[in-house]
Amino acid sequence: MAAPERISKRDATRRENETRILAAAEKVFAEAGFGGATMQLIADMAGLPKANLHYYFPTKEELYRKVVQQIFEIWLHAADSFDNAPDPASGIGAYIDAKMEISRRHADGSKVWASEVMHGAPVIQDYLETTLRDWTAGRAALIQRWVDEGKMEPVDPRHLLYMLWATTQHYADFGHQIETLNGGKPLNDRQWKAAKDNVKTIILRGIGAI
């Protein structure tokens, strides 16, 4: 009966270490980029021996891809609001809420993604050509259906998605600029709510959804 308990503790330790490593890797990759980051820097940030990193992630590229995959999967779940939404106001509105909250809580992951894409996606191009392309096609089809049903203005679904990404992720990728313009302080809870409400109002009114 003792063996399952030992396995459970081992699994728990593994999950804890992986979480620490990924959080540290997000921060280091966001600040130094893929080229400037080292496994030693990430190990130091995580407070773990370098050997532990190589045990869980044998190469820097594998760790980097996991960081990118993690933020993208979080973004994918944010789009669940689209699937069963009866109209663009509720679907896109909930998506904006979720994406803004991700920008608040996962700013480093967003910065890693942005930097990778701005440099031509040298590590994750295959990811863009498969997972991202398929996801975008599915969301675009749903937006087009709302257009065809007369529930919103006839806008190009892809350009609407690009605008949603650019606007919501701006609060992560350009967080320092926003803090500077906010008197050197991060947005507080009230300001985040106001930001989300304003972004939703501007976009939803612009596409004729409200």
Side-chain angles (χ1 to χ4, degrees), residues 103-191:
S103 287
R104 185 181 188 181
R105 301 187 183 279
H106 299 277
D108 287 333
S110 181
K111 291 173 186 175
V112 174
W113 179 279
S115 177
E116 168 72 9
V117 173
M118 285 191 295
H119 286 86
V123 177
I124 63 160
Q125 180 62 30
D126 60 324
Y127 206 65
L128 300 184
E129 293 175 351
T130 54
T131 307
L132 180 60
R133 181 176 290 169
D134 293 344
W135 181 93
T136 302
R139 300 286 75 73
L142 180 53
I143 293 171
Q144 186 60 53
R145 191 187 78 198
W146 284 331
V147 170
D148 295 342
E149 292 173 350
K151 295 180 177 179
M152 56 181 286
E153 293 295 320
V155 300
D156 186 306
R158 289 179 181 268
H159 290 298
L160 175 57
L161 286 171
Y162 301 158
M163 179 179 290
L164 292 171
W165 299 342
T167 303
T168 57
Q169 288 161 227
H170 174 90
Y171 289 84
D173 302 341
F174 291 87
H176 177 73
Q177 177 173 276
I178 290 174
E179 287 186 16
T180 299
L181 297 174
N182 193 46
K185 299 177 181 179
L187 300 183
N188 58 36
D189 291 345
R190 178 184 57 79
Q191 290 172 316

Side-chain angles (χ1 to χ4, degrees), residues 96-97 100-101 191-201:
I96 292 171
D97 274 334
M100 292 281 284
E101 194 61 26
Q191 290 172 316
W192 270 104
K193 183 181 184 306
K196 287 191 282 188
D197 289 345
N198 274 279
V199 170
K200 283 190 294 184
T201 298

Side-chain angles (χ1 to χ4, degrees), residues 34-150:
F34 179 76
T38 67
M39 294 295 266
Q40 186 62 62
L41 277 172
I42 295 169
D44 292 343
M45 180 69 68
L48 294 169
K50 183 180 175 182
N52 281 38
L53 263 68
H54 288 291
Y55 173 76
Y56 293 108
F57 301 97
T59 66
K60 184 173 74 168
E61 180 171 329
E62 184 175 335
L63 177 54
Y64 181 81
R65 287 180 68 88
K66 181 63 177 179
V67 168
V68 172
Q69 179 184 355
Q70 180 174 257
I71 187 63
F72 186 62
E73 287 177 351
I74 291 171
W75 284 337
L76 284 181
H77 288 307
D80 290 346
S81 60
F82 272 90
D83 297 333
N84 299 311
D87 53 59
S90 56
I92 296 173
Y95 181 58
I96 292 171
D97 274 334
K99 287 286 271 83
M100 292 281 284
E101 194 61 26
I102 293 168
S103 287
R104 185 181 188 181
R105 301 187 183 279
H106 299 277
D108 287 333
S110 181
K111 291 173 186 175
V112 174
W113 179 279
S115 177
E116 168 72 9
V117 173
M118 285 191 295
H119 286 86
V123 177
I124 63 160
Q125 180 62 30
D126 60 324
Y127 206 65
L128 300 184
E129 293 175 351
T130 54
T131 307
L132 180 60
R133 181 176 290 169
D134 293 344
W135 181 93
T136 302
R139 300 286 75 73
L142 180 53
I143 293 171
Q144 186 60 53
R145 191 187 78 198
W146 284 331
V147 170
D148 295 342
E149 292 173 350

